Amino acid sequence: KQEVTQIPAALSVPEGENLVLNCSFTDSAIYNLQWFRQDPGKGLTSLLLIQSSQREQTSGRLNASLDKSSGRSTLYIAASQPGDSATYLCAADGISGSARQLTFGSGTQLTVLP
Amino acid sequence: KAGVTQTPRYLIKTRGQQVTLSCSPISGHRSVSWYQQTPGQGLQFLFEYFSETQRNKGNFPGRFSGRQFSNSRSEMNVSTLELGDSALYLCASSLDPGTGQPQHFGDGTRLSIL
């Protein structure tokens, strides 16, 4: 059964800092790894999707990397802004039990201080 | 392009009742997945429908069921409600997750059981 862990659970940084969020997964047989952000009271917004054959994906100030062999992914946020404050979730797309599904980590709650 | 729409946004029920939640996917998306989000268990996969057929199912009891209509809209039903069913229920749509397409989430239905 796939298990996804995110460290740290919470992070507070001053505006302008570069930061890294970590995600680890136990089963490397994944189709892809996805990063989402969730604002309070809202659903999830897809940020980046890295296919299993890729090493990284970039979108604006965000860069996500994937190392399947070690079961790790990182989300790098450059020049953080207060608007980046949210909970960031990673999800591994693979077979867990007998179903193909996204298995989510518990998230990193990010606060960017002005 | 309209996003994923979930109705209602909020529901209050009592133990033993049943409830039906609705999800309208992004136009053209044929896959609809349902997730339960609670503070204790995080995000957990319920089931996925594709072309009116349940294609994947998570580890939830039979009280949780769903269906998908020919226009890809989906409903989720929970019977004999329990206090532990209080959660945010999220729906996500995709062209086809099987091809590595990202999932797009609605804002959810917050269900409270009294």
Side-chain angles (χ1 to χ4, degrees), chain A residues 32 34 36 38 41-46 49 51 89 93 98-102 104, chain B residues 9 35 37 43 45 56-58 88 90 97-103 105-107:
Chain A
N32 60 66
Q34 299 180 40
F36 298 87
Q38 185 174 29
K42 296 287 190 178
L44 279 63
T45 301
S46 178
L49 183 154
Q51 301 289 358
L89 296 140
D93 182 355
S98 58
R100 178 170 177 175
Q101 61 182 280
L102 289 180
F104 284 85
Chain B
R9 288 295 314 278
Y35 297 83
Q37 186 175 31
L43 269 155
F45 172 74
N56 286 291
K57 186 179 187 303
L88 180 66
L90 292 165
T99 59
Q101 298 294 320
Q103 295 193 25
F105 283 77
D107 283 339

Side-chain angles (χ1 to χ4, degrees), chain A residues 49-57 65-68:
Chain A
L49 183 154
I50 313 174
Q51 301 289 358
S52 62
S53 58
Q54 297 175 320
R55 296 282 295 184
E56 65 179 296
Q57 278 288 331
S65 67
L66 174 64
D67 184 342
K68 269 184 55 176

Side-chain angles (χ1 to χ4, degrees), chain A residues 16-37:
Chain A
E17 265 201 17
N18 303 324
L19 57 103
V20 174
L21 307 181
N22 296 293
C23 171
S24 61
F25 46 95
T26 56
D27 185 351
S28 62
I30 62 172
Y31 296 98
N32 60 66
L33 191 291
Q34 299 180 40
W35 284 92
F36 298 87
R37 80 175 261 171

Side-chain angles (χ1 to χ4, degrees), chain B residues 3 20 55 113:
Chain B
T20 299
R55 189 160 68 170
I113 311 302

